[in-house]
Amino acid sequence: MTDLVQLSRDNDVAIITIDNPPVNALGPGVPEGISKALDRIAQDSSFKAAVLIGGGRTFVAGADIKELGKMARGKSEVTTLEPLLLQIEDSRTPVIVAIHGAAFGGGLELAMAAPYRVALAIAKVGQPEVKLGLIPGAAGTQRLPRLAGIAIAVEMCAAGNPISAEQSLKFGIIDRIVDGASQSDLLAGAIAFAREVAGKPAPRTRERNDKLGNAGDHEAIFAAAREAAAKKQRGQRAPLAAISAVEAATKMSFTEGCEFERRLFLECLFSEQCKALIHIFFSEREAAKIPDIPRETPLLPIHLAAVVGAGTMGGGIAMALANAGIPVLLKETEQSPLDRGLATIRLNYETSVKHGRFTQQFVDQRLALISPTLTYDDFAKVDLVIEAVFENMQLKKEVFRQLDAVCKPGAILATNTSTLNIDEIASAVARPDAVAGTHFFTPPNVTRLLEVVRGKESSRQVIATCMQLAGKLGKVGVLVGNCTGFVANRMFIPYHQQVQFLLEEGASVEAVDRTLTDFGMGLGPVATMDMVGLDVAWRIRQEHKHLHPAGTRQPFAEDRLCELGRYGRKTNAGWYRYDEQRRAVPDPEVAEMVRKWAAEQGVVQRSTSTQEILDRCLWAFVNEGARILEEGYALRVSDIDTIFVNGYGFPAWRGGPMWYADTVGLKNVYDRVSEFHSDFGELWRPAPLLKQLAEQGRGFYESK
């Protein structure tokens, strides 16, 4: 044994406890400790059975991802759990795995090697390796179909989503749900179960073939899974590899299937996709660390919140708060917009129930937490206010003056502004230290990103509380500095400009969107703007006209669409038309209008290659990101990647724009940016940091 694994006993039952906090990851020392414990048990004939359980809050949440990252980069030897799993499976003393919390990845593979598994009702199991660009690497794709059947194994391994203990029991992954909710309840139930099965023949999972059927029996399952992966996990290799590995279980012996799985695992492990996904995994966790805000900084309690403005953003923010169990006042100035906002909230919840994301009971409870109001009468009770009115400085400052007059001392006054100066907004109140930006993304109740914007006087306590709130809302919080557009929109603006320029120069709406979705973006940039609302960016451009550098080209076509009342999906017409089901349909009328407007502006239309579309969009991101990083508005380069993966649907398997630029090579990126600077003018001037790193042969990530 090691310090990470302890062996104890309850009379004739051995108890192996994994103690590797916080999640009992199968890092160095844990498999070795389990193996030594099994050796000790094998030498003691008084043991009739053994229970393998996790200490602390969970069983085993998977492999040590830091170690996986080292393996992927060739920095450490690739190890396997298979010898340990065979030792468990062949043990004379039957092993009963007791699951609380989670048995994910290697944790579930460990559990499946035992003849028996019991769990608490609140436990979950899963094979989430695809979320890191991997497949199960310790016979998970071979043992799981033998326990749960082909269809369930394919779904769990290819999609990577966990299932409940109740589902696990139904599918045959676990053998019993133990009464109770604590680890001690689980241990008592597991020991009792162990005594029931002691002395009986223990089934080896690898020999259980009754659910495998014949190879031809499952062709439809594999075909449907591959089709679903191609749509939902577009461009990713791991889901397809996982499907092939499970399919191997129907065509090969267990040993051959394990060898096939191993080959696919190693191919995935050494892929750029795996490295990128591991990078994003750690980047999201790193974003929570603020150098000058200690972890012990006291947080402000948030028992009651308020949102000012019931539009698309305000209503979505109210839903996000309610979904987290926080009661929220939703204020509007008139009954009509308040009613519209509440109707939209109800429709969103109805859609979620229809699609099975929420139960009606959950929705009823959340709706009860949202209290509509036309006054500030109850704002003296709130701990947090989030302003979500139109993107206009004077309007926002007036709202903050009103909030300053009615809110209690200690309340956080937050703004959802996407581009405006936090410090100027804070100048409207007598307590600027209480002001911060909480920039949500469309739709706020769904999108995972929350930019927390720090003003020059925002207190550490306010910032720490807003970052903690992000986690409570199920979002990734990233702290950013106070500049025009902060990080996300400051980088999105040049990207959006290039999209508009390309359309004005003759590229089709469909070609631009297809190029970016083929690259892996969740939604094409034109469809994204239609979803957000073209009028949102239109108002921002009007607000910031004074910031446009003299003599630089500015887009015009989207403003013209707004002048025609074509705001996007909300008006059933923007760059696209929208049918009765709100599906986007290409609109020839828009193409014709853009041709006419371009001729009036003297813009020559031409054919544009897919590569040019991609380069102009992506390197606009990266060039501006380099400026932001150099100017200090992002704490670290990984924060930029985290923002774009979680806020704008940049493919996580490409690692975010800055990581992806490193994979292409900054010298190549710099050369292309310089070419665009020569062809298109000052908007493409290379960022000094990009130029410096390219000339030095370095990347944004030195250790990548």
Side-chain angles (χ1 to χ4, degrees):
M1 280 85 67
T2 68
D3 291 340
L4 302 176
V5 178
Q6 286 88 46
L7 177 62
S8 58
R9 69 186 304 151
D10 186 301
N11 295 320
D12 56 350
V13 176
I15 302 167
I16 306 170
T17 304
I18 303 169
D19 186 18
N20 186 25
V23 295
N24 290 329
L26 294 170
V30 175
E32 295 83 353
I34 298 171
S35 179
K36 288 179 181 178
L38 290 169
D39 288 341
R40 285 270 302 274
I41 293 167
Q43 294 163 10
D44 189 338
S45 60
S46 67
F47 286 126
K48 304 304 181 188
V51 169
L52 177 61
I53 192 169
R57 67 188 193 209
T58 192
F59 176 60
V60 173
D64 185 326
I65 298 175
K66 285 185 180 178
E67 288 299 315
L68 282 175
K70 291 178 185 177
M71 294 177 197
R73 298 193 306 274
K75 302 292 186 182
S76 68
E77 182 183 354
V78 180
T79 58
T80 177
L81 287 175
E82 192 58 21
L84 171 63
L85 305 191
L86 291 174
Q87 184 182 8
I88 292 171
E89 205 163 32
D90 292 335
S91 171
R92 176 193 62 79
T93 307
V95 177
I96 294 84
V97 171
I99 302 170
H100 69 299
F104 291 161
L108 181 55
E109 290 175 304
L110 180 69
M112 291 191 296
Y116 305 106
R117 288 150 297 282
V118 300
L120 292 178
I122 55 176
K124 292 186 176 182
V125 307
Q127 298 279 189
E129 288 88 347
V130 291
K131 297 181 185 295
L132 291 176
L134 291 167
I135 68 169
T141 63
Q142 304 305 299
R143 286 192 175 93
L144 185 56
R146 286 171 162 82
L147 291 174
I150 300 301
I152 299 304
V154 167
E155 183 177 347
M156 289 179 65
C157 292
N161 298 319
I163 64 172
S164 67
E166 183 180 354
Q167 291 171 304
S168 301
L169 180 65
K170 174 183 174 183
F171 299 143
I173 299 172
I174 64 171
D175 300 287
R176 179 175 297 176
I177 292 178
V178 173
D179 291 336
S182 69
Q183 186 210 29
S184 58
D185 293 331
L186 174 65
L187 181 58
I191 291 170
F193 183 90
R195 292 196 171 109
E196 287 180 34
V197 299
K200 297 178 181 178
R204 289 190 177 100
T205 305
R206 67 177 186 265
E207 296 172 357
R208 297 173 62 172
N209 298 322
D210 54 299
K211 292 187 178 181
L212 295 182
N214 297 313
D217 296 343
H218 310 295
E219 287 181 3
I221 293 173
F222 295 123
R226 289 185 171 104
E227 184 179 351
K231 290 179 180 177
K232 296 179 183 178
Q233 297 154 295
R234 188 175 57 253
Q236 297 181 54
R237 64 187 299 174
L240 295 174
I243 295 166
S244 294
V246 174
E247 187 175 30
T250 69
K251 297 179 175 181
M252 303 177 185
S253 68
F254 178 81
T255 300
E256 292 169 335
C258 289
E259 291 172 354
F260 183 72
E261 176 197 84
R262 185 70 174 168
R263 287 199 300 274
L264 293 179
F265 172 81
L266 291 173
E267 288 174 10
C268 290
L269 178 66
F270 295 125
S271 70
E272 288 299 324
Q273 292 190 7
C274 177
K275 294 171 191 173
L277 286 162
I278 290 175
H279 155 67
I280 288 297
F281 176 88
F282 285 113
S283 295
E284 290 179 1
R285 283 145 187 81
E286 188 70 15
K289 301 173 185 176
I290 313 301
D292 67 332
I293 300 182
R295 292 182 64 182
E296 60 272 16
T297 300
L299 301 176
L300 296 166
I302 299 179
H303 302 302
L304 175 64
V307 176
V308 180
T312 300
M313 296 305 295
I317 294 168
M319 289 179 68
L321 291 163
N323 289 346
I326 300 173
V328 55
L329 306 176
L330 181 60
K331 183 188 180 300
E332 261 295 352
T333 54
E334 297 178 359
Q335 192 65 47
S336 178
L338 184 58
D339 289 343
R340 283 198 302 273
L342 291 170
T344 299
I345 289 171
R346 292 191 190 97
L347 178 61
N348 288 338
Y349 275 130
E350 287 170 8
T351 302
S352 294
V353 171
K354 182 179 177 182
H355 292 158
R357 288 191 290 268
F358 295 148
T359 65
Q360 188 60 51
Q361 181 183 13
F362 177 90
V363 166
D364 292 342
Q365 290 169 345
R366 269 49 201 171
L367 282 170
L369 293 174
I370 301 174
S371 301
T373 181
L374 296 174
T375 73
Y376 286 114
D377 290 352
D378 291 324
F379 274 55
K381 304 173 186 175
V382 304
D383 304 300
L384 164 73
V385 182
I386 300 175
E387 165 273 310
V389 301
F390 286 133
E391 194 76 347
N392 176 275
M393 179 61 78
Q394 295 311 311
L395 175 59
K396 288 180 183 290
K397 288 172 75 172
E398 179 56 33
V399 168
F400 269 75
R401 277 190 283 269
Q402 294 168 351
L403 293 174
D404 197 29
V406 299
C407 290
K408 67 185 180 183
I412 296 174
L413 308 181
T415 172
N416 182 55
T417 181
S418 56
T419 58
L420 299 178
N421 189 301
I422 300 294
D423 295 327
E424 186 174 349
I425 293 172
S427 71
V429 303
R431 39 176 156 174
D433 59 318
V435 177
T438 49
H439 179 207
F440 290 77
F441 289 74
T442 305
N445 52 305
V446 175
T447 305
R448 289 189 72 222
L449 179 65
L450 177 62
E451 269 190 323
V452 177
V453 189
R454 191 178 204 169
K456 66 181 180 183
E457 296 191 57
S458 303
S459 76
R460 292 180 179 179
Q461 199 173 15
V462 164
I463 295 300
T465 303
C466 289
M467 291 293 288
Q468 189 266 351
L469 174 67
K472 187 169 185 179
L473 299 183
K475 299 187 181 298
V476 178
V478 182
L479 183 65
V480 298
N482 180 28
C483 60
T484 302
F486 318 128
V487 171
N489 279 343
R490 180 170 160 181
M491 286 176 65
F492 187 82
I493 287 168
Y495 167 71
H496 183 210
Q497 281 182 328
Q498 291 304 314
V499 169
Q500 293 178 82
F501 292 154
L502 286 161
L503 296 171
E504 292 166 4
E505 292 164 16
S508 72
V509 166
E510 307 94 287
V512 172
D513 273 355
R514 185 172 57 250
T515 297
L516 273 298
T517 54
D518 285 350
F519 174 77
M521 297 289 282
L523 194 64
V526 189
T528 296
M529 289 313 301
D530 268 5
M531 180 185 72
V532 172
L534 304 188
D535 55 320
V536 175
W538 186 34
R539 281 195 300 270
I540 291 171
R541 286 191 291 272
Q542 291 171 326
E543 187 83 18
H544 291 173
K545 272 185 180 179
H546 63 288
L547 298 177
H548 296 162
T552 58
R553 178 182 173 185
Q554 297 299 320
F556 53 83
E558 195 164 281
D559 287 358
R560 296 280 191 93
L561 291 175
C562 289
E563 289 164 6
L564 294 173
R566 298 182 66 119
Y567 294 163
R569 194 183 294 180
K570 66 176 77 172
T571 58
N572 292 321
W575 285 104
Y576 290 95
R577 275 189 302 106
Y578 292 86
D579 63 17
E580 295 79 7
Q581 283 77 44
R582 304 186 82 185
R583 292 176 299 200
V585 179
D587 192 342
E589 184 181 348
V590 169
E592 185 54 43
M593 286 190 292
V594 172
R595 274 194 291 272
K596 176 186 171 186
W597 296 334
E600 291 170 357
Q601 295 289 328
V603 174
V604 177
Q605 293 204 323
R606 60 185 173 85
S607 127
T608 310
S609 71
T610 296
Q611 192 62 52
E612 181 182 343
I613 292 171
L614 194 61
D615 288 351
R616 284 175 67 178
C617 291
L618 296 182
W619 305 150
F621 267 147
V622 171
N623 196 41
E624 194 63 29
R627 293 188 204 283
I628 289 169
L629 192 61
E630 187 172 30
E631 293 166 11
Y633 291 109
L635 282 175
R636 49 186 81 86
V637 65
S638 61
D639 285 356
I640 296 175
D641 285 335
T642 299
I643 284 169
F644 275 85
V645 166
N646 289 285
Y648 284 118
F650 196 97
W653 51 271
R654 293 197 188 269
M658 312 306 276
W659 178 274
Y660 178 69
D662 271 11
T663 67
V664 171
L666 288 199
K667 178 65 167 59
N668 296 325
V669 175
Y670 171 70
D671 287 347
R672 194 68 162 135
V673 170
S674 298
E675 182 184 334
F676 291 149
H677 183 215
S678 175
D679 291 346
F680 301 116
E682 194 60 19
L683 289 175
W684 277 103
R685 177 171 292 278
L689 179 61
L690 177 62
K691 181 175 186 291
Q692 174 190 332
L693 293 174
E695 289 176 346
Q696 293 173 350
R698 297 162 57 203
F700 292 116
Y701 293 93
E702 285 304 305
S703 61
K704 188 177 85 67

